[in-house]
Amino acid sequence: MTDRPDTPRSRRERPAKPALSREGIVTAALAILRSEGLQKVTMRRLAQELDTGPASLYVYVRNTAELHAAVLDELLGTVGSAPVEGSWRERLERVLTSYTTMLFEHPTLARSALTSWPSGPHYLNLIESLLALLDEGGVPPAQAAWGVDLLLQHCTASAAEHADDTAEDDWDALRGTLNDISERTHPHIAAVRGPLLSGAPQERLSWALRTLITGIERTAVPG
């Protein structure tokens, strides 16, 4: 006699769930990020995806901030190593541009990264590459150490600006305000209102990076 179709299956007959691991948790979180956005990368949503309870995840990840940092570290693996052609300045700019481009694809993650930095292997590799390029350029170690923090902070903040859907509306409002500005009340703004709004995002990023790199090279740290 065969079982009826609606007969509940014994737990022993169900396929075993894969064992939890930090790597598996981060992989699942990355999949949710790409399909549903960072706002859905929560312990509760992740537990649902992995068919477990949220409490089980805390053995591997302390909180949501650490989870987001681990996801960012995983994405840093797509940035790649420093190119071999070009001057040290050009190669440094390319690495930073690649990092920023990756964050532009996930601006909400960039906003999270402003307060929760990763500490995984890909992040360490990125720091090592940046320090090596600054060292190649003869930048003193202390300036290089502070400089890396400044460069990554700028790139991350630039990408985070695009996390807000109203950013373009705000930019349009600023453009209208500047175009209507009075030369009598704000003569300096009126004199440069064109340059204030000029340049493609890529051009402005490149200029900012070159400016920062030059400043890092020439400015000693206090003490």
Side-chain angles (χ1 to χ4, degrees):
M1 182 177 178
T2 60
D3 292 338
R4 293 171 55 189
D6 58 352
T7 301
R9 295 176 62 186
S10 166
R11 287 183 178 272
R12 294 183 179 180
E13 296 176 357
R14 298 175 185 173
K17 294 186 295 184
L20 282 177
S21 68
R22 183 180 174 89
E23 180 181 359
I25 290 170
V26 173
T27 298
L30 187 56
I32 295 172
L33 169 70
R34 286 171 169 157
S35 62
E36 303 176 31
L38 185 67
Q39 70 278 5
K40 293 294 184 180
V41 183
T42 64
M43 292 300 208
R44 184 177 298 278
R45 175 67 183 89
L46 194 54
Q48 180 185 27
E49 184 71 17
L50 295 170
D51 191 22
T52 188
S56 301
L57 303 180
Y58 289 104
V59 176
Y60 304 92
V61 184
R62 288 178 301 172
N63 49 43
T64 302
E66 183 179 320
L67 176 63
H68 290 177
V71 169
L72 175 58
D73 186 75
E74 191 68 20
L75 288 170
L76 286 175
T78 65
V79 171
S81 57
V84 296
E85 298 181 355
S87 69
W88 70 271
R89 287 170 172 273
E90 292 169 338
R91 285 179 284 144
L92 180 58
E93 183 180 334
R94 283 183 218 151
V95 173
L96 291 165
T97 300
S98 178
Y99 167 75
T100 310
T101 300
M102 180 275 290
L103 286 181
F104 264 100
E105 298 175 3
H106 307 283
T108 52
L109 187 61
R111 177 169 288 183
S112 175
L114 288 173
T115 56
S116 300
W117 281 100
S119 58
H122 295 126
Y123 178 70
L124 296 180
N125 290 340
L126 174 62
I127 297 296
E128 180 68 20
S129 294
L130 298 177
L131 287 172
L133 287 166
L134 289 167
D135 180 59
E136 182 181 331
V139 178
Q143 288 165 224
W146 283 28
V148 164
D149 179 61
L150 178 61
L151 289 165
L152 290 178
Q153 185 181 64
H154 174 77
C155 292
T156 305
S158 295
E161 279 186 314
H162 295 263
D164 190 345
D165 293 336
T166 64
E168 189 61 34
D169 293 337
D170 292 342
W171 184 253
D172 288 340
L174 174 61
R175 183 182 293 110
T177 299
L178 292 177
N179 286 335
D180 295 336
I181 206 83
S182 169
E183 295 183 8
R184 182 179 58 82
T185 57
H186 299 85
H188 292 90
I189 294 178
V192 297
R193 69 178 123 209
L196 276 173
L197 301 173
S198 67
Q202 186 63 38
E203 292 173 326
R204 295 181 77 97
L205 174 64
S206 177
W207 180 85
L209 291 176
R210 285 185 277 115
T211 301
L212 289 173
I213 292 169
T214 298
I216 291 164
E217 183 184 15
R218 299 180 180 179
T219 308
V221 299

